[in-house]
Amino acid sequence: MRLFLFLSLMLISLSAKERIVALSPAITEILFGLGAGDEVVGTSKYANYPKEAQHLPRIGGYFHPSLEKIVSLAPTLVIGNEHDRQLLSQI
């Protein structure tokens, strides 16, 4: 029974979508370009392309994103730049 439950949970998790927070407009644009736009749940307040990104929750500015807003979106993946290293280590 435990094996069945474990395998069921594994199959469910494999089919689950990512919840991605992009910390810059360029990352948001790349994600949409790669076809992962439906998995993006938050982005920088400066992300305005593509048009769909304008309706996403904003996590703050380019250099000062809000850790609280990011965590509240329950992301499975947060993508940032080199200068976001301190914030990413806190997450």
Side-chain angles (χ1 to χ4, degrees):
M1 182 66 181
R2 286 185 185 177
L3 180 60
F4 176 74
L5 181 61
F6 176 74
L7 291 174
S8 298
L9 290 173
M10 289 299 293
L11 288 174
I12 291 170
S13 67
L14 288 174
S15 64
K17 288 188 174 185
E18 293 285 350
R19 294 181 52 82
I20 303 171
V21 171
L23 299 181
S24 77
I27 294 170
T28 302
E29 191 173 334
I30 290 168
L31 289 168
F32 274 88
L34 292 172
D38 60 332
E39 298 179 4
V40 179
V41 295
T43 188
S44 163
K45 71 178 182 179
Y46 301 111
N48 58 11
Y49 184 84
K51 196 171 209 161
E52 296 88 354
Q54 296 174 4
H55 305 291
L56 291 171
R58 304 304 172 134
I59 51 90
Y62 190 65
F63 290 105
H64 300 96
S66 168
L67 180 61
E68 291 80 15
K69 287 183 182 180
I70 294 170
V71 171
S72 74
L73 295 172
T76 58
L77 180 64
V78 178
I79 304 175
N81 293 310
E82 183 71 23
H83 69 272
D84 297 317
R85 187 178 298 168
Q86 182 180 3
L87 175 71
L88 292 171
S89 70
Q90 292 175 338
I91 295 172

